Amino acid sequence: MTSRGNRWLWFFFILCLSVESLHADRGLGELRLEVKDPSGAALQAQVEMASLSNQFQRTFDTSSEGRYTAQDLPFGVYHLVISHTGFSPVSQLVEIRSSLPTSISVSLGIAPLETQVAVSDVTTLINPYLSNRIGFIGARRISEQQSAQPGRDVGDLVNSQPGWVYENNGILHPRGSEYDVQFVVDGVPLTENRSPSFAPPFDTDDVDSIKVLTAGYPAEYGRKLGGIIELTSPKDVVWGLHGRFDAQGGSFQTGSVSGSLVYGKGKNRYSLSGNGFHTDRYLDPPVVENFSNRSNQVGYSGSYERDLTSKDRIRFTASHDTVRFLTPSNLEQQEIGQRQDLVNEETGGQVQYQHVISSNLLLSVQGSVRDARFGVSSNQVSTPLIVFQDRGYREGYGRADLAGHRGQHDWKIGVDGIFSHVHEALNYKITDPSEFDPGTLQQFQFRETKWDMEPSFWAQDQFRWRNWNIAAGLRFDHYKFVIRQSAWSPRIGVSRYFPALDMLVHASYDRVFQTPAMENLLLSSSPELSTVAPNVLRIPVEPAHANYFEIGTTSSFFGKLRLDVNVFRRNARNLADDDTLLNTGVSFPITFAVGRIIGEEVRIDVPNWGRFSGYISYSNQSATAWGPITGGLFLGQEANEGLIDTSKFAVGSDQRNTLRSRIRLQASKRFWFAFGASYGSGLPVEIESEGIDRHALEEQYGPRVVEQVNFDRGRVRPNYSLDASAAAQLWRTEKQDVALQVELSNLTDHVNVVNFASLLSGTGISTSRSASARVRWTF
């Protein structure tokens, strides 16, 4: 950046710090409740708190001082019922609309002989103050999730949202975007690939709520904006010692355990958790037989939180996760005894500090460090080559923001930065030269390190006038890794609530600046690769620039059913994708000139209709890209064709029709069961229909897999799955609970091919019929 550009950057930063009515919010607030008796003395009470629009439902007791603090509440309207034996219950609504703590004080009167409180959550079914659609997954749904493959719980929950599609090995694609998913864990953004083959999985027992965004992004979100998945850990204020222990077992020799302890006393709260699993089916294998697919995982974390004063809070968190697994083999690789061992390790620490400056002003400061490593090693009989890789990074993250409220404005301004020391090492040896172009280097070694620096700052205002809501924000990003680039990103969202129809109409525009994927970017950018093959094309991978548009409605029917309808369009330059180096399975980012993604989404939610609850979601979308290649590494014939091919093609995640549903029945107070169904019309296949050697494909993948490919249409055949689950409360006392849950997946045992012989994604088969059972003890 030029010195003049630096002066403008600092000028804008100083300007932001002096603004009074700007806001960019992750949409989480805090409720501080105080309960008293008629004389004004503190009263310990039971509180029921619910928001149907946020899938939030919680019951808790206030402390002996009558106080309780509920943290990380998604913005919206909440219904509270506060009660104590011998006193009249109080039912009231409270709105959480800002990061600033919302404080309320409630006095319970002496109960008459007969007392009734009408409890109704109808008014919380729609949040009339949202300017975009947000998908919420609440604690109950998270606790009931039990996936057929370990490490997929969070991914499966997100995949139930409209617009999301799985590719091979649990890689999530939001609205046709490739590798542009950002996880945000307790405020810390994770912008690298978090699919099971790239990073340790998240344990849902450490997740209290999930928020999913695909449009209408607040300005503080940046870098990866195909879709945002925000995970919030449990932060309930508990008194004394509480805990949980889970044990699970099922098909494919799968077994797992997890547990946690939480202790609260005075102003201090401590928590410890740990988990581990073993399975013989971790990734999506390329054949039905599921060869060499074992995995073992262990993880643990701890946190300490203290209320320094009534206005100051600090929280420390530390964690470590390791997962070791094998790359599943096809029939030919299994016959020769090929084995590839992989490992993902991640260690991190985080500190958060919050200071309430005044009733209208809140300061938050946050920092984290992470050390991540990914390794690959092959045995000596591997074909067509033997490959070893060791890559990773040490990342530091810092963030500071100031939030406040003034009149009809809720505002926030902030700065953050990611600073990572990246290292990559790779070497390979070709064992079958016939699989490569003549002249390809038989052996190759690579090693490099480099700093990745990505500072940013933002400002946004949420303005409310009558039934109108306007969110307008501005973000600045600077990216410096292999190349250097900066961008301004304006965002705006507008909504109008119609009380007579109980309908919210919203529209949004997002300007998006998406940085390239970090994985193997140094390798694919290195001049050393010019010697690997006779024809080599290396083009610097630039960030993507995109415009996102969305129009939608949210409506309530009968006070029990919520309908969301959205229409969207995404236009992008330098559309992100990925490719592989030779036949190593080592992927790296590439870009194409132009991309366009259009679609429609419909979701019906029934949060609570008598004993029934559930949802059904449908999406129809078309994801198309046009050449030529604008970034990445290409060898051989691809290098010759890449710069001149301007043809149109469907991107790898272009599944036209996707359907997900789940119906749950609370049969009795201690027993529930549920049924789920999913359907996908199939992803593209990159093999040309003419000249197909079907026999050779069957030798690699087997006839049952090849039968699930429609070569004439250029797509895998539709996939579907029927699932069932049930749970029973085996034992319950005032302080302890033991429950059993059973899950049955893919009841019809249909062979679901996710990807087939893809140069980018390989071949992957979803899980066959499977069963699992889990016992959970809480105290």
Side-chain angles (χ1 to χ4, degrees):
M1 179 179 277
T2 65
S3 59
R4 183 179 180 183
N6 278 321
R7 287 197 298 270
W8 278 106
L9 188 153
W10 282 108
F11 172 78
F12 184 81
F13 174 69
I14 294 170
L15 178 65
C16 283
L17 292 180
S18 64
V19 170
E20 283 197 40
S21 61
L22 295 174
H23 162 83
D25 227 312
R26 293 194 183 277
L28 296 176
E30 180 177 304
L31 175 66
R32 297 182 177 181
L33 175 65
E34 184 178 26
V35 182
K36 301 178 181 179
D37 66 15
S39 68
L43 182 67
Q44 188 172 27
Q46 185 179 68
V47 183
E48 297 178 31
M49 187 174 181
S51 175
L52 295 182
S53 64
N54 295 337
Q55 290 197 14
F56 181 96
Q57 189 170 4
R58 186 174 297 167
T59 300
F60 54 85
D61 293 326
T62 63
S63 67
S64 57
E65 292 81 21
R67 294 188 176 93
Y68 187 87
T69 299
Q71 300 182 42
D72 289 348
L73 298 175
F75 290 176
V77 179
Y78 292 80
H79 180 221
L80 275 68
V81 177
I82 305 162
S83 59
H84 183 89
T85 304
F87 293 83
S88 296
V90 171
S91 174
Q92 73 176 71
L93 297 176
V94 60
E95 182 190 355
I96 305 297
R97 57 177 294 187
S98 169
S99 297
L100 286 159
T102 299
S103 300
I104 62 171
S105 180
V106 177
S107 295
L108 299 186
I110 302 299
L113 295 178
E114 294 184 7
T115 301
Q116 282 188 330
V117 174
V119 178
S120 174
D121 295 324
V122 172
T123 50
T124 69
L125 189 58
I126 291 181
N127 182 356
Y129 310 117
L130 284 178
S131 57
N132 63 325
R133 183 197 178 273
I134 301 176
F136 290 103
I137 304 172
R140 189 185 75 175
R141 180 69 187 92
I142 295 171
S143 67
E144 294 177 358
Q145 179 62 30
Q146 193 170 325
S147 298
Q149 290 174 269
R152 304 288 181 95
D153 287 340
V154 170
D156 287 352
L157 287 166
V158 174
N159 198 43
S160 68
Q161 297 289 315
W164 293 76
V165 174
Y166 261 152
E167 270 203 280
N168 192 19
N169 294 328
I171 299 175
L172 285 164
H173 294 279
R175 291 186 171 179
S177 293
E178 298 274 345
Y179 298 98
D180 287 328
V181 176
Q182 178 180 174
F183 282 85
V184 180
V185 181
D186 284 337
V188 175
L190 309 179
T191 57
E192 71 280 356
N193 193 329
R194 301 296 306 188
S195 61
S197 58
F198 282 82
F202 297 107
D203 183 11
T204 51
D205 290 326
D206 293 330
V207 178
D208 185 59
S209 66
I210 302 176
K211 185 172 69 174
V212 181
L213 290 84
T214 48
Y217 299 118
E220 62 183 307
Y221 290 107
R223 304 182 181 95
K224 295 290 189 295
L225 292 173
I228 303 291
I229 304 169
E230 184 160 0
L231 309 181
T232 303
S233 63
K235 297 184 180 68
D236 279 353
V237 179
V238 296
W239 313 108
L241 181 66
H242 299 262
R244 168 195 52 80
F245 177 79
D246 289 357
Q248 180 175 329
S251 303
F252 317 117
Q253 303 297 313
T254 298
S256 67
V257 293
S258 68
S260 66
L261 292 173
V262 181
Y263 177 72
K265 183 178 181 180
K267 297 181 179 181
N268 302 292
R269 292 176 288 280
Y270 309 84
S271 71
L272 291 173
S273 66
N275 62 88
F277 67 72
H278 167 83
T279 183
D280 285 348
R281 189 188 180 102
Y282 183 62
L283 300 180
D284 294 332
V287 294
V288 175
E289 288 80 2
N290 186 43
F291 297 122
S292 66
N293 201 2
R294 296 191 303 276
S295 176
N296 295 286
Q297 182 267 347
V298 62
Y300 45 86
S301 65
S303 70
Y304 167 68
E305 182 177 308
R306 178 178 174 85
D307 291 329
L308 302 174
T309 68
S310 61
K311 295 184 177 182
D312 298 88
R313 178 186 299 141
I314 193 166
R315 178 181 173 88
F316 300 92
T317 304
S319 63
H320 175 80
D321 284 281
T322 301
V323 55
R324 302 180 184 275
F325 55 102
L326 303 179
T327 299
S329 300
N330 62 30
L331 296 174
E332 292 180 342
Q333 294 166 336
Q334 178 69 15
E335 185 176 351
I336 65 172
Q338 173 172 305
R339 172 171 171 153
Q340 283 192 342
D341 289 79
L342 297 89
V343 59
N344 280 313
E345 288 185 305
E346 189 171 271
T347 303
Q350 180 180 347
V351 59
Q352 298 169 293
Y353 171 73
Q354 175 181 297
H355 173 63
V356 179
I357 299 174
S358 69
S359 61
N360 292 319
L361 204 58
L362 175 71
L363 172 68
S364 299
V365 180
Q366 189 170 17
S368 69
V369 292
R370 283 193 301 146
D371 191 336
R373 172 182 171 264
F374 174 80
V376 181
S377 61
S378 308
N379 64 3
Q380 295 301 307
V381 298
S382 297
T383 185
L385 48 73
I386 300 170
V387 62
F388 296 90
Q389 184 180 38
D390 184 8
R391 64 172 177 82
Y393 56 89
R394 290 180 177 175
E395 175 190 276
Y397 174 75
R399 170 192 176 97
D401 49 54
L402 191 67
H405 170 78
R406 184 177 183 181
Q408 296 300 315
H409 297 267
D410 291 288
W411 58 269
K412 188 193 249 185
I413 57 175
V415 297
D416 79 343
I418 294 177
F419 306 93
S420 303
H421 186 254
V422 182
H423 63 87
E424 294 180 12
L426 172 81
N427 65 76
Y428 73 76
K429 177 182 179 181
I430 291 178
T431 57
D432 186 359
S434 65
E435 292 291 326
F436 302 90
D437 292 341
T440 301
L441 202 63
Q442 299 298 296
Q443 296 187 50
F444 177 75
Q445 292 186 355
F446 170 82
R447 182 180 296 273
E448 187 175 351
T449 63
K450 195 176 182 68
W451 277 94
D452 172 27
M453 293 182 285
E454 303 181 26
S456 72
F457 51 83
W458 64 85
Q460 184 163 323
D461 178 39
Q462 179 81 30
F463 174 71
R464 181 185 304 176
W465 180 70
R466 295 183 180 177
N467 290 319
W468 289 89
N469 304 284
I470 301 175
L474 183 65
R475 178 184 177 90
F476 177 83
D477 284 283
H478 180 66
Y479 170 73
K480 181 184 177 183
F481 189 29
V482 175
I483 66 169
R484 181 183 297 187
Q485 198 170 120
S486 302
W488 296 90
S489 301
R491 317 266 175 83
I492 187 166
V494 180
S495 69
R496 172 70 158 87
Y497 179 61
F498 297 90
L501 300 175
D502 203 7
M503 173 188 290
L504 183 73
V505 179
H506 58 84
S508 65
Y509 164 74
D510 299 296
R511 177 63 176 173
V512 170
F513 175 77
Q514 298 198 130
T515 55
M518 178 193 297
E519 291 80 14
N520 298 303
L521 187 55
L522 294 180
L523 171 66
S524 62
S525 304
S526 173
E528 296 180 37
L529 283 175
S530 299
T531 63
V532 168
N535 296 317
V536 177
L537 173 64
R538 285 189 305 104
I539 306 175
V541 180
E542 297 187 17
H545 297 262
N547 298 298
Y548 292 176
F549 305 89
E550 180 186 80
I551 299 175
T553 65
T554 300
S555 306
S556 172
F557 297 94
F558 317 114
K560 299 292 185 181
L561 182 151
R562 185 176 66 246
L563 172 66
D564 288 284
V565 179
N566 297 293
V567 178
F568 67 88
R569 182 186 181 102
R570 294 181 168 186
N571 299 323
R573 290 188 295 112
N574 297 324
L575 183 71
D577 208 322
D578 77 321
D579 203 349
T580 55
L581 175 64
L582 300 175
N583 288 325
T584 62
V586 175
S587 65
F588 52 85
I590 62 175
T591 57
F592 294 95
V594 179
R596 184 193 69 196
I597 306 165
I598 57 176
E600 305 83 37
E601 300 168 352
V602 179
R603 181 178 172 102
I604 300 173
D605 278 288
V606 183
N608 186 13
W609 198 329
R611 295 185 177 186
F612 286 92
S613 60
Y615 68 85
I616 180 169
S617 69
Y618 168 78
S619 61
N620 174 276
Q621 65 182 23
S622 172
T624 309
W626 286 263
I629 293 165
T630 57
L633 170 72
F634 297 88
L635 308 177
Q637 185 178 357
E638 287 184 318
N640 296 326
E641 298 176 352
L643 289 176
I644 60 174
D645 186 1
T646 60
S647 61
K648 170 184 174 181
F649 62 94
V651 302
S653 58
D654 177 48
Q655 181 162 269
R656 300 298 172 86
N657 299 284
T658 306
L659 181 71
R660 308 270 188 259
S661 66
R662 183 176 188 261
I663 299 175
R664 181 186 186 276
L665 172 63
Q666 189 73 44
S668 67
K669 187 176 181 179
R670 295 195 174 192
F671 177 73
W672 63 263
F673 60 88
F675 293 96
S678 63
Y679 168 86
S681 58
L683 296 175
V685 173
E686 299 169 13
I687 299 177
E688 297 291 338
S689 59
E690 297 181 1
I692 292 176
D693 188 343
R694 191 181 182 97
H695 178 69
L697 293 175
E698 290 181 350
E699 285 186 340
Q700 291 186 70
Y701 307 111
R704 292 184 65 191
V705 174
V706 177
E707 286 173 1
Q708 295 302 315
V709 181
N710 188 329
F711 294 102
D712 294 333
R713 292 186 61 242
R715 290 183 178 269
V716 298
R717 300 190 187 278
N719 56 74
Y720 60 85
S721 179
L722 299 175
D723 311 307
S725 57
Q729 193 177 68
L730 303 181
W731 181 52
R732 180 178 179 84
T733 66
E734 183 180 351
K735 295 184 178 181
Q736 297 189 56
D737 183 283
V738 177
L740 170 68
Q741 181 173 333
V742 177
E743 187 84 17
L744 303 174
S745 301
N746 195 4
L747 296 174
T748 63
D749 203 23
H750 184 254
V751 177
N752 290 313
V753 177
V754 183
N755 295 97
F756 181 77
S758 168
L759 293 173
L760 308 182
S761 305
T763 299
I765 316 298
S766 288
T767 184
S768 56
R769 183 190 294 127
S770 61
S772 63
R774 176 177 66 192
V775 176
R776 170 169 292 179
W777 172 41
T778 57
F779 60 93

